[in-house]
PDB file of all heavy atoms in Angstrom:
ATOM      1  N   ALA A1106      -0.494  26.550 -58.234  1.00  0.00           N
ATOM      2  CA  ALA A1106      -1.524  26.144 -57.271  1.00  0.00           C
ATOM      3  C   ALA A1106      -1.044  24.954 -56.446  1.00  0.00           C
ATOM      4  O   ALA A1106      -1.202  24.923 -55.216  1.00  0.00           O
ATOM      5  CB  ALA A1106      -2.822  25.809 -57.996  1.00  0.00           C
ATOM      6  N   ASN A1107      -0.435  23.966 -57.097  1.00  0.00           N
ATOM      7  CA  ASN A1107       0.108  22.807 -56.371  1.00  0.00           C
ATOM      8  C   ASN A1107       1.272  23.209 -55.479  1.00  0.00           C
ATOM      9  O   ASN A1107       1.398  22.735 -54.348  1.00  0.00           O
ATOM     10  CB  ASN A1107       0.556  21.736 -57.363  1.00  0.00           C
ATOM     11  CG  ASN A1107      -0.606  21.086 -58.086  1.00  0.00           C
ATOM     12  OD1 ASN A1107      -1.705  20.981 -57.538  1.00  0.00           O
ATOM     13  ND2 ASN A1107      -0.387  20.650 -59.321  1.00  0.00           N
ATOM     14  N   ALA A1108       2.134  24.093 -55.988  1.00  0.00           N
ATOM     15  CA  ALA A1108       3.299  24.516 -55.208  1.00  0.00           C
ATOM     16  C   ALA A1108       2.899  25.299 -53.963  1.00  0.00           C
ATOM     17  O   ALA A1108       3.560  25.207 -52.922  1.00  0.00           O
ATOM     18  CB  ALA A1108       4.225  25.353 -56.081  1.00  0.00           C
ATOM     19  N   CYS A1109       1.813  26.067 -54.058  1.00  0.00           N
ATOM     20  CA  CYS A1109       1.371  26.909 -52.934  1.00  0.00           C
ATOM     21  C   CYS A1109       0.316  26.229 -52.078  1.00  0.00           C
ATOM     22  O   CYS A1109      -0.167  26.829 -51.095  1.00  0.00           O
ATOM     23  CB  CYS A1109       0.824  28.238 -53.461  1.00  0.00           C
ATOM     24  SG  CYS A1109       2.023  29.230 -54.365  1.00  0.00           S
ATOM     25  N   GLY A1110      -0.080  25.010 -52.430  1.00  0.00           N
ATOM     26  CA  GLY A1110      -1.085  24.308 -51.650  1.00  0.00           C
ATOM     27  C   GLY A1110      -2.482  24.861 -51.807  1.00  0.00           C
ATOM     28  O   GLY A1110      -3.318  24.732 -50.900  1.00  0.00           O
ATOM     29  N   VAL A1111      -2.758  25.483 -52.956  1.00  0.00           N
ATOM     30  CA  VAL A1111      -4.084  26.051 -53.213  1.00  0.00           C
ATOM     31  C   VAL A1111      -4.920  25.002 -53.932  1.00  0.00           C
ATOM     32  O   VAL A1111      -4.520  24.467 -54.974  1.00  0.00           O
ATOM     33  CB  VAL A1111      -3.987  27.328 -54.079  1.00  0.00           C
ATOM     34  CG1 VAL A1111      -5.383  27.839 -54.428  1.00  0.00           C
ATOM     35  CG2 VAL A1111      -3.180  28.385 -53.349  1.00  0.00           C
ATOM     36  N   ASN A1112      -6.087  24.702 -53.376  1.00  0.00           N
ATOM     37  CA  ASN A1112      -6.980  23.713 -53.972  1.00  0.00           C
ATOM     38  C   ASN A1112      -7.839  24.371 -55.043  1.00  0.00           C
ATOM     39  O   ASN A1112      -8.623  25.273 -54.751  1.00  0.00           O
ATOM     40  CB  ASN A1112      -7.872  23.085 -52.896  1.00  0.00           C
ATOM     41  CG  ASN A1112      -8.791  22.013 -53.477  1.00  0.00           C
ATOM     42  OD1 ASN A1112      -8.439  21.347 -54.446  1.00  0.00           O
ATOM     43  ND2 ASN A1112      -9.961  21.841 -52.882  1.00  0.00           N
ATOM     44  N   VAL A1113      -7.688  23.931 -56.272  1.00  0.00           N
ATOM     45  CA  VAL A1113      -8.481  24.464 -57.378  1.00  0.00           C
ATOM     46  C   VAL A1113      -9.533  23.428 -57.744  1.00  0.00           C
ATOM     47  O   VAL A1113      -9.201  22.329 -58.201  1.00  0.00           O
ATOM     48  CB  VAL A1113      -7.592  24.781 -58.601  1.00  0.00           C
ATOM     49  CG1 VAL A1113      -8.437  25.336 -59.743  1.00  0.00           C
ATOM     50  CG2 VAL A1113      -6.494  25.763 -58.221  1.00  0.00           C
ATOM     51  N   SER A1114     -10.801  23.765 -57.520  1.00  0.00           N
ATOM     52  CA  SER A1114     -11.891  22.832 -57.784  1.00  0.00           C
ATOM     53  C   SER A1114     -12.086  22.635 -59.284  1.00  0.00           C
ATOM     54  O   SER A1114     -11.589  23.415 -60.111  1.00  0.00           O
ATOM     55  CB  SER A1114     -13.189  23.344 -57.154  1.00  0.00           C
ATOM     56  OG  SER A1114     -13.574  24.572 -57.748  1.00  0.00           O
ATOM     57  N   VAL A1115     -12.853  21.580 -59.624  1.00  0.00           N
ATOM     58  CA  VAL A1115     -13.112  21.297 -61.030  1.00  0.00           C
ATOM     59  C   VAL A1115     -13.886  22.440 -61.678  1.00  0.00           C
ATOM     60  O   VAL A1115     -13.596  22.848 -62.815  1.00  0.00           O
ATOM     61  CB  VAL A1115     -13.895  19.967 -61.173  1.00  0.00           C
ATOM     62  CG1 VAL A1115     -14.263  19.726 -62.642  1.00  0.00           C
ATOM     63  CG2 VAL A1115     -13.083  18.803 -60.635  1.00  0.00           C
ATOM     64  N   SER A1116     -14.861  22.979 -60.970  1.00  0.00           N
ATOM     65  CA  SER A1116     -15.636  24.096 -61.521  1.00  0.00           C
ATOM     66  C   SER A1116     -14.752  25.321 -61.764  1.00  0.00           C
ATOM     67  O   SER A1116     -14.893  26.006 -62.781  1.00  0.00           O
ATOM     68  CB  SER A1116     -16.785  24.463 -60.583  1.00  0.00           C
ATOM     69  OG  SER A1116     -16.289  24.830 -59.298  1.00  0.00           O
ATOM     70  N   MET A1117     -13.820  25.575 -60.840  1.00  0.00           N
ATOM     71  CA  MET A1117     -12.905  26.693 -61.016  1.00  0.00           C
ATOM     72  C   MET A1117     -11.958  26.438 -62.187  1.00  0.00           C
ATOM     73  O   MET A1117     -11.608  27.364 -62.929  1.00  0.00           O
ATOM     74  CB  MET A1117     -12.108  26.935 -59.738  1.00  0.00           C
ATOM     75  CG  MET A1117     -11.110  28.097 -59.828  1.00  0.00           C
ATOM     76  SD  MET A1117     -11.862  29.665 -60.338  1.00  0.00           S
ATOM     77  CE  MET A1117     -12.902  30.006 -58.907  1.00  0.00           C
ATOM     78  N   MET A1118     -11.542  25.176 -62.371  1.00  0.00           N
ATOM     79  CA  MET A1118     -10.696  24.840 -63.522  1.00  0.00           C
ATOM     80  C   MET A1118     -11.396  25.167 -64.830  1.00  0.00           C
ATOM     81  O   MET A1118     -10.790  25.701 -65.769  1.00  0.00           O
ATOM     82  CB  MET A1118     -10.337  23.356 -63.494  1.00  0.00           C
ATOM     83  CG  MET A1118      -9.354  22.957 -62.430  1.00  0.00           C
ATOM     84  SD  MET A1118      -8.996  21.190 -62.531  1.00  0.00           S
ATOM     85  CE  MET A1118      -8.005  20.967 -61.053  1.00  0.00           C
ATOM     86  N   ILE A1119     -12.695  24.858 -64.905  1.00  0.00           N
ATOM     87  CA  ILE A1119     -13.460  25.129 -66.115  1.00  0.00           C
ATOM     88  C   ILE A1119     -13.562  26.632 -66.354  1.00  0.00           C
ATOM     89  O   ILE A1119     -13.395  27.117 -67.483  1.00  0.00           O
ATOM     90  CB  ILE A1119     -14.865  24.495 -66.019  1.00  0.00           C
ATOM     91  CG1 ILE A1119     -14.741  22.970 -65.952  1.00  0.00           C
ATOM     92  CG2 ILE A1119     -15.728  24.918 -67.218  1.00  0.00           C
ATOM     93  CD1 ILE A1119     -16.061  22.259 -65.709  1.00  0.00           C
ATOM     94  N   ILE A1120     -13.818  27.383 -65.268  1.00  0.00           N
ATOM     95  CA  ILE A1120     -13.922  28.842 -65.393  1.00  0.00           C
ATOM     96  C   ILE A1120     -12.586  29.432 -65.852  1.00  0.00           C
ATOM     97  O   ILE A1120     -12.542  30.295 -66.739  1.00  0.00           O
ATOM     98  CB  ILE A1120     -14.350  29.465 -64.051  1.00  0.00           C
ATOM     99  CG1 ILE A1120     -15.782  29.046 -63.716  1.00  0.00           C
ATOM    100  CG2 ILE A1120     -14.241  30.987 -64.099  1.00  0.00           C
ATOM    101  CD1 ILE A1120     -16.229  29.469 -62.340  1.00  0.00           C
ATOM    102  N   ILE A1121     -11.502  28.945 -65.254  1.00  0.00           N
ATOM    103  CA  ILE A1121     -10.170  29.434 -65.627  1.00  0.00           C
ATOM    104  C   ILE A1121      -9.858  29.084 -67.077  1.00  0.00           C
ATOM    105  O   ILE A1121      -9.286  29.890 -67.816  1.00  0.00           O
ATOM    106  CB  ILE A1121      -9.106  28.851 -64.683  1.00  0.00           C
ATOM    107  CG1 ILE A1121      -9.259  29.443 -63.275  1.00  0.00           C
ATOM    108  CG2 ILE A1121      -7.700  29.113 -65.212  1.00  0.00           C
ATOM    109  CD1 ILE A1121      -8.343  28.826 -62.247  1.00  0.00           C
ATOM    110  N   LEU A1122     -10.261  27.881 -67.509  1.00  0.00           N
ATOM    111  CA  LEU A1122     -10.016  27.458 -68.887  1.00  0.00           C
ATOM    112  C   LEU A1122     -10.747  28.361 -69.869  1.00  0.00           C
ATOM    113  O   LEU A1122     -10.174  28.806 -70.877  1.00  0.00           O
ATOM    114  CB  LEU A1122     -10.455  26.009 -69.077  1.00  0.00           C
ATOM    115  CG  LEU A1122     -10.257  25.411 -70.481  1.00  0.00           C
ATOM    116  CD1 LEU A1122      -8.781  25.408 -70.845  1.00  0.00           C
ATOM    117  CD2 LEU A1122     -10.823  24.003 -70.541  1.00  0.00           C
ATOM    118  N   LEU A1123     -12.014  28.672 -69.579  1.00  0.00           N
ATOM    119  CA  LEU A1123     -12.783  29.550 -70.472  1.00  0.00           C
ATOM    120  C   LEU A1123     -12.194  30.963 -70.491  1.00  0.00           C
ATOM    121  O   LEU A1123     -12.052  31.580 -71.553  1.00  0.00           O
ATOM    122  CB  LEU A1123     -14.250  29.594 -70.025  1.00  0.00           C
ATOM    123  CG  LEU A1123     -15.023  28.274 -70.151  1.00  0.00           C
ATOM    124  CD1 LEU A1123     -16.426  28.424 -69.562  1.00  0.00           C
ATOM    125  CD2 LEU A1123     -15.100  27.824 -71.598  1.00  0.00           C
ATOM    126  N   ALA A1124     -11.850  31.470 -69.286  1.00  0.00           N
ATOM    127  CA  ALA A1124     -11.235  32.802 -69.223  1.00  0.00           C
ATOM    128  C   ALA A1124      -9.878  32.806 -69.914  1.00  0.00           C
ATOM    129  O   ALA A1124      -9.492  33.793 -70.560  1.00  0.00           O
ATOM    130  CB  ALA A1124     -11.083  33.230 -67.768  1.00  0.00           C
ATOM    131  N   ASN A1125      -9.183  31.695 -69.810  1.00  0.00           N
ATOM    132  CA  ASN A1125      -7.869  31.560 -70.444  1.00  0.00           C
ATOM    133  C   ASN A1125      -7.966  31.716 -71.953  1.00  0.00           C
ATOM    134  O   ASN A1125      -7.166  32.418 -72.584  1.00  0.00           O
ATOM    135  CB  ASN A1125      -7.305  30.174 -70.073  1.00  0.00           C
ATOM    136  CG  ASN A1125      -5.901  29.962 -70.582  1.00  0.00           C
ATOM    137  OD1 ASN A1125      -5.256  30.872 -71.082  1.00  0.00           O
ATOM    138  ND2 ASN A1125      -5.422  28.753 -70.456  1.00  0.00           N
ATOM    139  N   VAL A1126      -8.977  31.068 -72.549  1.00  0.00           N
ATOM    140  CA  VAL A1126      -9.158  31.146 -74.001  1.00  0.00           C
ATOM    141  C   VAL A1126      -9.447  32.586 -74.426  1.00  0.00           C
ATOM    142  O   VAL A1126      -8.870  33.109 -75.386  1.00  0.00           O
ATOM    143  CB  VAL A1126     -10.302  30.217 -74.450  1.00  0.00           C
ATOM    144  CG1 VAL A1126     -10.604  30.422 -75.936  1.00  0.00           C
ATOM    145  CG2 VAL A1126      -9.939  28.763 -74.188  1.00  0.00           C
ATOM    146  N   LEU A1127     -10.331  33.260 -73.689  1.00  0.00           N
ATOM    147  CA  LEU A1127     -10.690  34.640 -74.036  1.00  0.00           C
ATOM    148  C   LEU A1127      -9.500  35.580 -73.870  1.00  0.00           C
ATOM    149  O   LEU A1127      -9.249  36.441 -74.717  1.00  0.00           O
ATOM    150  CB  LEU A1127     -11.856  35.107 -73.162  1.00  0.00           C
ATOM    151  CG  LEU A1127     -13.188  34.380 -73.375  1.00  0.00           C
ATOM    152  CD1 LEU A1127     -14.221  34.855 -72.372  1.00  0.00           C
ATOM    153  CD2 LEU A1127     -13.701  34.594 -74.795  1.00  0.00           C
ATOM    154  N   LEU A1128      -8.753  35.407 -72.776  1.00  0.00           N
ATOM    155  CA  LEU A1128      -7.605  36.281 -72.529  1.00  0.00           C
ATOM    156  C   LEU A1128      -6.493  36.046 -73.543  1.00  0.00           C
ATOM    157  O   LEU A1128      -5.810  36.981 -73.959  1.00  0.00           O
ATOM    158  CB  LEU A1128      -7.076  36.071 -71.108  1.00  0.00           C
ATOM    159  CG  LEU A1128      -7.945  36.625 -69.972  1.00  0.00           C
ATOM    160  CD1 LEU A1128      -7.420  36.145 -68.621  1.00  0.00           C
ATOM    161  CD2 LEU A1128      -7.972  38.146 -70.008  1.00  0.00           C
ATOM    162  N   SER A1129      -6.289  34.794 -73.929  1.00  0.00           N
ATOM    163  CA  SER A1129      -5.205  34.487 -74.877  1.00  0.00           C
ATOM    164  C   SER A1129      -5.466  35.116 -76.234  1.00  0.00           C
ATOM    165  O   SER A1129      -4.533  35.526 -76.933  1.00  0.00           O
ATOM    166  CB  SER A1129      -5.038  32.972 -75.019  1.00  0.00           C
ATOM    167  OG  SER A1129      -6.192  32.380 -75.589  1.00  0.00           O
ATOM    168  N   VAL A1130      -6.739  35.210 -76.640  1.00  0.00           N
ATOM    169  CA  VAL A1130      -7.061  35.839 -77.919  1.00  0.00           C
ATOM    170  C   VAL A1130      -6.671  37.307 -77.917  1.00  0.00           C
ATOM    171  O   VAL A1130      -6.218  37.865 -78.918  1.00  0.00           O
ATOM    172  CB  VAL A1130      -8.562  35.678 -78.241  1.00  0.00           C
ATOM    173  CG1 VAL A1130      -8.960  36.514 -79.453  1.00  0.00           C
ATOM    174  CG2 VAL A1130      -8.901  34.214 -78.482  1.00  0.00           C
ATOM    175  N   GLY A1131      -6.807  37.954 -76.761  1.00  0.00           N
ATOM    176  CA  GLY A1131      -6.473  39.375 -76.666  1.00  0.00           C
ATOM    177  C   GLY A1131      -5.046  39.666 -76.280  1.00  0.00           C
ATOM    178  O   GLY A1131      -4.675  40.836 -76.107  1.00  0.00           O
ATOM    179  N   THR A1132      -4.230  38.637 -76.144  1.00  0.00           N
ATOM    180  CA  THR A1132      -2.834  38.847 -75.761  1.00  0.00           C
ATOM    181  C   THR A1132      -2.047  39.455 -76.918  1.00  0.00           C
ATOM    182  O   THR A1132      -2.074  38.922 -78.033  1.00  0.00           O
ATOM    183  CB  THR A1132      -2.182  37.512 -75.354  1.00  0.00           C
ATOM    184  OG1 THR A1132      -2.900  36.952 -74.245  1.00  0.00           O
ATOM    185  CG2 THR A1132      -0.727  37.730 -74.944  1.00  0.00           C
ATOM    186  N   PRO A1133      -1.338  40.552 -76.706  1.00  0.00           N
ATOM    187  CA  PRO A1133      -0.576  41.165 -77.808  1.00  0.00           C
ATOM    188  C   PRO A1133       0.601  40.298 -78.214  1.00  0.00           C
ATOM    189  O   PRO A1133       1.166  39.569 -77.388  1.00  0.00           O
ATOM    190  CB  PRO A1133      -0.105  42.501 -77.207  1.00  0.00           C
ATOM    191  CG  PRO A1133      -0.092  42.276 -75.729  1.00  0.00           C
ATOM    192  CD  PRO A1133      -1.224  41.326 -75.450  1.00  0.00           C
ATOM    193  N   GLY A1134       0.977  40.387 -79.493  1.00  0.00           N
ATOM    194  CA  GLY A1134       2.082  39.577 -80.004  1.00  0.00           C
ATOM    195  C   GLY A1134       3.430  40.209 -79.775  1.00  0.00           C
ATOM    196  O   GLY A1134       4.232  40.359 -80.701  1.00  0.00           O
ATOM    197  N   ILE A1135       3.717  40.570 -78.532  1.00  0.00           N
ATOM    198  CA  ILE A1135       4.984  41.200 -78.160  1.00  0.00           C
ATOM    199  C   ILE A1135       5.575  40.454 -76.974  1.00  0.00           C
ATOM    200  O   ILE A1135       4.856  39.735 -76.270  1.00  0.00           O
ATOM    201  CB  ILE A1135       4.787  42.694 -77.791  1.00  0.00           C
ATOM    202  CG1 ILE A1135       3.795  42.828 -76.627  1.00  0.00           C
ATOM    203  CG2 ILE A1135       4.309  43.477 -79.000  1.00  0.00           C
ATOM    204  CD1 ILE A1135       3.637  44.228 -76.103  1.00  0.00           C
ATOM    205  N   PRO A1136       6.885  40.590 -76.715  1.00  0.00           N
ATOM    206  CA  PRO A1136       7.477  39.915 -75.550  1.00  0.00           C
ATOM    207  C   PRO A1136       6.806  40.339 -74.249  1.00  0.00           C
ATOM    208  O   PRO A1136       6.570  41.519 -74.003  1.00  0.00           O
ATOM    209  CB  PRO A1136       8.939  40.383 -75.600  1.00  0.00           C
ATOM    210  CG  PRO A1136       9.187  40.722 -77.032  1.00  0.00           C
ATOM    211  CD  PRO A1136       7.888  41.268 -77.545  1.00  0.00           C
ATOM    212  N   GLY A1137       6.471  39.348 -73.414  1.00  0.00           N
ATOM    213  CA  GLY A1137       5.848  39.639 -72.123  1.00  0.00           C
ATOM    214  C   GLY A1137       4.371  39.945 -72.196  1.00  0.00           C
ATOM    215  O   GLY A1137       3.770  40.362 -71.200  1.00  0.00           O
ATOM    216  N   GLY A1138       3.770  39.726 -73.361  1.00  0.00           N
ATOM    217  CA  GLY A1138       2.360  40.053 -73.516  1.00  0.00           C
ATOM    218  C   GLY A1138       1.435  39.205 -72.676  1.00  0.00           C
ATOM    219  O   GLY A1138       0.302  39.603 -72.400  1.00  0.00           O
ATOM    220  N   ALA A1139       1.897  38.020 -72.237  1.00  0.00           N
ATOM    221  CA  ALA A1139       1.036  37.109 -71.476  1.00  0.00           C
ATOM    222  C   ALA A1139       1.069  37.375 -69.977  1.00  0.00           C
ATOM    223  O   ALA A1139       0.322  36.735 -69.225  1.00  0.00           O
ATOM    224  CB  ALA A1139       1.450  35.662 -71.748  1.00  0.00           C
ATOM    225  N   ILE A1140       1.919  38.285 -69.511  1.00  0.00           N
ATOM    226  CA  ILE A1140       2.044  38.522 -68.069  1.00  0.00           C
ATOM    227  C   ILE A1140       0.732  39.025 -67.471  1.00  0.00           C
ATOM    228  O   ILE A1140       0.299  38.587 -66.403  1.00  0.00           O
ATOM    229  CB  ILE A1140       3.197  39.505 -67.783  1.00  0.00           C
ATOM    230  CG1 ILE A1140       4.539  38.863 -68.152  1.00  0.00           C
ATOM    231  CG2 ILE A1140       3.194  39.936 -66.323  1.00  0.00           C
ATOM    232  CD1 ILE A1140       5.732  39.780 -67.989  1.00  0.00           C
ATOM    233  N   ALA A1141       0.091  39.960 -68.175  1.00  0.00           N
ATOM    234  CA  ALA A1141      -1.178  40.499 -67.671  1.00  0.00           C
ATOM    235  C   ALA A1141      -2.246  39.413 -67.610  1.00  0.00           C
ATOM    236  O   ALA A1141      -3.051  39.371 -66.653  1.00  0.00           O
ATOM    237  CB  ALA A1141      -1.640  41.656 -68.553  1.00  0.00           C
ATOM    238  N   SER A1142      -2.258  38.531 -68.591  1.00  0.00           N
ATOM    239  CA  SER A1142      -3.230  37.434 -68.590  1.00  0.00           C
ATOM    240  C   SER A1142      -2.998  36.504 -67.401  1.00  0.00           C
ATOM    241  O   SER A1142      -3.947  36.061 -66.742  1.00  0.00           O
ATOM    242  CB  SER A1142      -3.139  36.637 -69.902  1.00  0.00           C
ATOM    243  OG  SER A1142      -3.418  37.456 -71.013  1.00  0.00           O
ATOM    244  N   PHE A1143      -1.727  36.209 -67.128  1.00  0.00           N
ATOM    245  CA  PHE A1143      -1.421  35.344 -65.998  1.00  0.00           C
ATOM    246  C   PHE A1143      -1.839  35.989 -64.678  1.00  0.00           C
ATOM    247  O   PHE A1143      -2.356  35.311 -63.784  1.00  0.00           O
ATOM    248  CB  PHE A1143       0.079  35.019 -65.960  1.00  0.00           C
ATOM    249  CG  PHE A1143       0.464  34.157 -64.790  1.00  0.00           C
ATOM    250  CD1 PHE A1143       0.286  32.789 -64.838  1.00  0.00           C
ATOM    251  CD2 PHE A1143       0.988  34.719 -63.624  1.00  0.00           C
ATOM    252  CE1 PHE A1143       0.628  31.991 -63.756  1.00  0.00           C
ATOM    253  CE2 PHE A1143       1.328  33.935 -62.552  1.00  0.00           C
ATOM    254  CZ  PHE A1143       1.148  32.564 -62.609  1.00  0.00           C
ATOM    255  N   ALA A1144      -1.627  37.292 -64.553  1.00  0.00           N
ATOM    256  CA  ALA A1144      -2.013  37.989 -63.332  1.00  0.00           C
ATOM    257  C   ALA A1144      -3.515  37.883 -63.094  1.00  0.00           C
ATOM    258  O   ALA A1144      -3.968  37.652 -61.960  1.00  0.00           O
ATOM    259  CB  ALA A1144      -1.592  39.455 -63.413  1.00  0.00           C
ATOM    260  N   ALA A1145      -4.306  38.029 -64.164  1.00  0.00           N
ATOM    261  CA  ALA A1145      -5.761  37.930 -64.031  1.00  0.00           C
ATOM    262  C   ALA A1145      -6.180  36.513 -63.644  1.00  0.00           C
ATOM    263  O   ALA A1145      -7.027  36.327 -62.754  1.00  0.00           O
ATOM    264  CB  ALA A1145      -6.429  38.352 -65.336  1.00  0.00           C
ATOM    265  N   LEU A1146      -5.589  35.511 -64.296  1.00  0.00           N
ATOM    266  CA  LEU A1146      -5.948  34.131 -63.998  1.00  0.00           C
ATOM    267  C   LEU A1146      -5.484  33.712 -62.607  1.00  0.00           C
ATOM    268  O   LEU A1146      -6.175  32.963 -61.907  1.00  0.00           O
ATOM    269  CB  LEU A1146      -5.346  33.197 -65.054  1.00  0.00           C
ATOM    270  CG  LEU A1146      -5.914  33.348 -66.467  1.00  0.00           C
ATOM    271  CD1 LEU A1146      -5.111  32.508 -67.442  1.00  0.00           C
ATOM    272  CD2 LEU A1146      -7.376  32.939 -66.504  1.00  0.00           C
ATOM    273  N   ALA A1147      -4.307  34.190 -62.185  1.00  0.00           N
ATOM    274  CA  ALA A1147      -3.804  33.867 -60.855  1.00  0.00           C
ATOM    275  C   ALA A1147      -4.724  34.427 -59.769  1.00  0.00           C
ATOM    276  O   ALA A1147      -4.963  33.776 -58.739  1.00  0.00           O
ATOM    277  CB  ALA A1147      -2.389  34.415 -60.679  1.00  0.00           C
ATOM    278  N   THR A1148      -5.246  35.608 -59.995  1.00  0.00           N
ATOM    279  CA  THR A1148      -6.189  36.195 -59.034  1.00  0.00           C
ATOM    280  C   THR A1148      -7.472  35.378 -58.972  1.00  0.00           C
ATOM    281  O   THR A1148      -8.016  35.128 -57.885  1.00  0.00           O
ATOM    282  CB  THR A1148      -6.525  37.648 -59.451  1.00  0.00           C
ATOM    283  OG1 THR A1148      -5.315  38.403 -59.513  1.00  0.00           O
ATOM    284  CG2 THR A1148      -7.477  38.287 -58.454  1.00  0.00           C
TER     285      THR A1148
END
């Protein structure tokens, strides 16, 4: 976000943090399992 000049508000940070916790629980324990989670959070 900083590298691309995207402003992430505090409220959005909280939403991303909550979604991050939920997505991380469902991340499979295999190589590259977090890529899908990052794609969702980046969107």
Side-chain angles (χ1 to χ4, degrees):
N1107 291 330
C1109 299
V1111 176
N1112 182 31
V1113 180
S1114 63
V1115 176
S1116 59
M1117 180 55 67
M1118 288 181 187
I1119 296 174
I1120 293 173
I1121 291 174
L1122 180 61
L1123 294 175
N1125 185 8
V1126 173
L1127 294 175
L1128 288 171
S1129 64
V1130 171
T1132 300
I1135 59 174
I1140 293 176
S1142 299
F1143 178 82
L1146 293 172
T1148 302

